[in-house]
Amino acid sequence: MRSAAATPRTAIVPAAGLGTRFLPVTKTVPKELLPVVDTPGIELVAAEAAEAGAQRLVIITSEGKDSVVAHFIDDRELERTLAERGKHDMLEKVRRAAALITVESVVQPEPLGLGHAVSCAEAVLGEDEDAVAVLLPDDLVLPTGVLQTMSDVRAQTGGSVLCAIEVPQQEISAYGVFDVDGVRTDHDTTVLRVTGMVEKPAPHRAPSPFAAAGRYILDRAIFDALRRVAPGAGGEVQLTDAIAWLIGQGHPVHAVVHRGARHDLGNPGGYLKAAIDMALRREDYGPDLRRWLIDRLHSEETHAP
Ligand code: G1P
């Protein structure tokens, strides 16, 4: 499976949430701007979408979160100062976000759920766009590349293609979970045929250990489905329910199993792991952090009661 099929032109990034799991910092700083080492999560997601071939990012925001979009606007004054001071490395970092991809935003007027947030992007789609990518910025999926694999699968199967991770039973209730009736492995890619989906099931009701990991390539039919589903888990319009509705209509849905790392940037515990993981991968901070972590853990063991 190495056909390098086109990824949808538009990647939707829902970023309208209040970030309550991250209070108090999210009183003034949107969680999408918190730094993973030195780069905000929203820039990591934009880079991933651009790398897969998407041409524009539609960020769904809410009132008070303008700074998320501002991160993608050139800061001429800062650039001039850095250029004058000969700080070329920093200049490159500052310019990167704006150069990655075209960014637009759509305001979700009320917090009615992930499905509703995605539906807000329909108004800005071109008539010829038959599919969209959706990237949830809380999910950091490493290494990048799964979106391209999902596009390649869609070129073969049609319909919609999602990303699955295998999750232990005690954690499964935090996710949208797949019902699956067929697994095929092609080279190193495992693809599930999805026959149903349920949002945040009780552990004993989860139909499989495979959960949705925040990367979606959705047929445009999703917008019709989103109009039809009633509010579900948490009283919110769920993307999962719209996908389940499409499956019920005979729409093909598959999921690519991601075998690398996946972090949840939406809560402090997951965010810290993501920051450490990313820092360990870097040449500038990795070696020193590794030494310090080993020492720190060693001294904890030696001084444990
Ligand atoms: C959302 C989706 C869920 C998915 C999860 C992945 O849930 O509704 O289906 O499995 O993201 O992170 P949330 O984490 O926003 O509650």
Side-chain angles (χ1 to χ4, degrees):
M1 199 181 309
R2 283 287 164 265
S3 54
T7 292
R9 191 159 84 220
T10 300
I12 302 169
V13 179
L18 293 174
T20 46
R21 288 182 297 170
F22 244 120
L23 283 167
V25 68
T26 42
K27 249 176 97 183
T28 49
V29 182
K31 68 177 171 186
E32 296 80 7
L33 291 182
L34 295 176
V36 182
V37 187
D38 54 7
T39 306
I42 192 80
E43 185 177 323
L44 298 177
V45 160
E48 182 185 342
E51 179 195 296
Q55 291 160 32
R56 93 175 155 155
L57 209 63
V58 175
I59 302 180
I60 313 299
T61 62
S62 53
E63 211 183 312
K65 293 188 80 176
D66 300 345
S67 49
V68 176
V69 178
H71 182 68
F72 294 92
I73 297 172
D74 288 324
D75 186 335
R76 295 274 149 77
E77 192 58 34
L78 175 60
E79 287 177 26
R80 198 170 49 77
T81 309
L82 292 173
E84 277 168 13
R85 295 183 186 173
K87 309 252 184 215
H88 299 295
D89 289 359
M90 289 179 194
L91 192 55
E92 208 175 294
K93 286 186 181 184
V94 164
R95 285 182 171 155
R96 179 173 180 257
L100 278 172
I101 191 165
T102 304
V103 171
E104 287 171 36
S105 65
V106 173
V107 174
Q108 183 189 23
E110 279 179 274
L112 299 177
L114 174 60
H116 179 262
V118 169
S119 74
C120 293
E122 187 182 16
V124 298
L125 289 187
E127 274 177 26
D128 62 329
E129 294 187 77
D130 61 356
V132 292
V134 176
L135 290 85
L136 306 189
D138 276 1
D139 288 83
L140 189 58
V141 180
L142 297 172
T144 56
V146 75
L147 276 178
Q148 182 61 62
T149 309
M150 289 157 63
S151 299
D152 293 344
V153 169
R154 182 170 189 269
Q156 294 176 358
T157 60
S160 297
V161 180
L162 284 72
C163 173
I165 48 170
E166 215 169 330
V167 171
Q169 202 193 17
Q170 66 273 21
E171 291 166 26
I172 200 92
S173 309
Y175 296 91
V177 182
F178 298 114
D179 201 347
V180 166
D181 95 336
V183 181
R184 74 181 157 81
T185 301
D186 185 357
H187 293 94
D188 48 1
T189 304
T190 302
V191 180
L192 312 172
R193 203 174 80 83
V194 178
T195 55
M197 227 186 140
V198 42
E199 182 68 12
K200 300 191 171 54
H204 66 283
R205 288 189 182 272
S208 81
F210 293 108
R215 297 292 180 272
Y216 309 75
I217 297 205
L218 299 171
D219 189 277
R220 193 177 181 128
I222 194 68
F223 296 104
D224 183 39
L226 283 166
R227 270 187 288 277
R228 290 167 186 269
V229 293
E236 299 187 333
V237 178
Q238 296 292 348
L239 190 56
T240 295
D241 294 345
I243 294 165
W245 184 86
L246 283 176
I247 295 169
Q249 301 297 305
H251 180 88
V253 175
H254 293 81
V256 170
V257 180
H258 173 70
R259 300 284 183 200
R262 179 260 171 192
H263 298 292
D264 181 359
L265 294 176
N267 72 81
Y271 168 84
L272 282 170
K273 288 180 199 154
I276 290 170
D277 192 5
M278 290 292 272
L280 286 172
R281 290 167 199 249
R282 290 200 18 180
E283 280 176 14
D284 45 0
Y285 299 112
D288 182 52
L289 177 63
R290 183 181 311 275
R291 276 191 297 275
W292 180 82
L293 275 173
I294 291 169
D295 275 2
R296 175 71 179 76
L297 296 174
H298 179 72
S299 72
E300 192 164 291
E301 274 164 26
T302 351
H303 296 113

